[in-house]
Amino acid sequence: MNTAMILAAGLGTRLKELTHDKPKALVEINGKTLLQRTIETLIANGFERIIINVHHFGNQIIEFVKTHQFDAEILISDEQQQLMDTGGGIIQASPLFADTEAVLIHNVDIISDVNLKSHYQHFIQSGDDAWLLTQDRETARKLLFNNENQLIGWKNKNTGQFKWVNNTTENYTERAFSGMHIFKPTLFADFEKKPVSVIDLYLNLAQRKQIISKEIQTNLWFDLGKIEQLEEIKNKI
């Protein structure tokens, strides 16, 4: 069964007053919530099972799912007792990844026209352990890849901080993470269930697994990170 997970547990603090009484996932753009837009995008790309992790005002998301009918199986991974971060949330949800060849992760605040169905199918055929969908765009934090598009590091251009796989300092290509990635369903199963960044998990895995950059080509990609961006995206969708 084609499986995707929506990361919707974040506090949404950068959206200020918009998330004082609701989760970021239920912020509306042109009358439709980010969560509904993401679910509909995934269904349109052939995903039959969708997992949603919840924390901040989590019961509102649970109620939203109950009161809306979607043409997919919707499951909740509940983090209301402890926010697990982007990696820990995936580890906690791992038991829900049964009966699938791959899992696609989609941040709830990403809006794009990426052909997720095609990437998902090609990933399954590739034999790789994970694909990080990346872009050539400006951002402070960059993933670093070698000539074979294998993950070898991460850097923060503002602070000068680097994190390397195997302490390498070889030549690298910088890519921006798109907020979407695909992996084999058992990839994170052996990690301890605790709050952790998914990028740190991938840097750990890249020592022994094929963690590959796949650059996406898209006419629309938008990360609703700040309240000022709301007006900008309203005119694009």
Side-chain angles (χ1 to χ4, degrees), residues 49 51 75 77 89-99 185 189 193:
R49 177 193 291 134
I51 300 152
L75 303 174
S77 180
I90 294 170
I91 295 170
Q92 178 164 309
S94 289
L96 302 177
F97 299 159
D99 305 321
K193 188 168 71 173

Side-chain angles (χ1 to χ4, degrees), residues 19 24 40 52 63 77 100 105 111-112 137 151 179 203 209 218:
T19 52
K24 179 193 288 190
E40 290 176 351
I52 306 167
E63 187 63 23
S77 180
T100 188
I105 302 293
I111 296 174
S112 81
R137 62 177 170 83
L151 180 67
L203 291 169
K209 300 288 187 179
T218 177

Side-chain angles (χ1 to χ4, degrees), residues 88-119:
I90 294 170
I91 295 170
Q92 178 164 309
S94 289
L96 302 177
F97 299 159
D99 305 321
T100 188
E101 294 183 87
V103 180
L104 178 137
I105 302 293
H106 196 300
N107 290 358
V108 76
D109 52 7
I110 299 298
I111 296 174
S112 81
D113 60 0
V114 177
N115 189 334
L116 298 173
K117 182 176 184 178
S118 176
H119 283 294

Side-chain angles (χ1 to χ4, degrees), residues 221-222 227-237:
W221 181 92
F222 198 87
I227 195 168
E228 296 80 8
Q229 295 173 311
L230 268 174
E231 291 303 317
E232 180 183 349
I233 188 61
K234 283 179 180 179
N235 299 321
K236 295 182 178 180
I237 58 176

Side-chain angles (χ1 to χ4, degrees), residues 14 107 110 133-145 153-162 172-179 199 221 223 225-226 229:
R14 292 185 297 166
N107 290 358
I110 299 298
L133 304 189
T134 62
Q135 302 161 289
D136 184 12
R137 62 177 170 83
E138 276 305 309
T139 183
R141 291 172 291 184
K142 291 288 186 76
L143 297 173
L144 312 178
F145 299 91
W154 171 95
K155 79 173 184 178
N156 185 320
K157 296 171 71 174
N158 290 342
T159 65
Q161 180 187 13
F162 281 81
Y172 56 81
T173 299
E174 301 179 4
R175 287 289 180 265
F177 184 44
S178 72
I199 297 302
W221 181 92
D223 175 5
K226 299 179 181 178
Q229 295 173 311

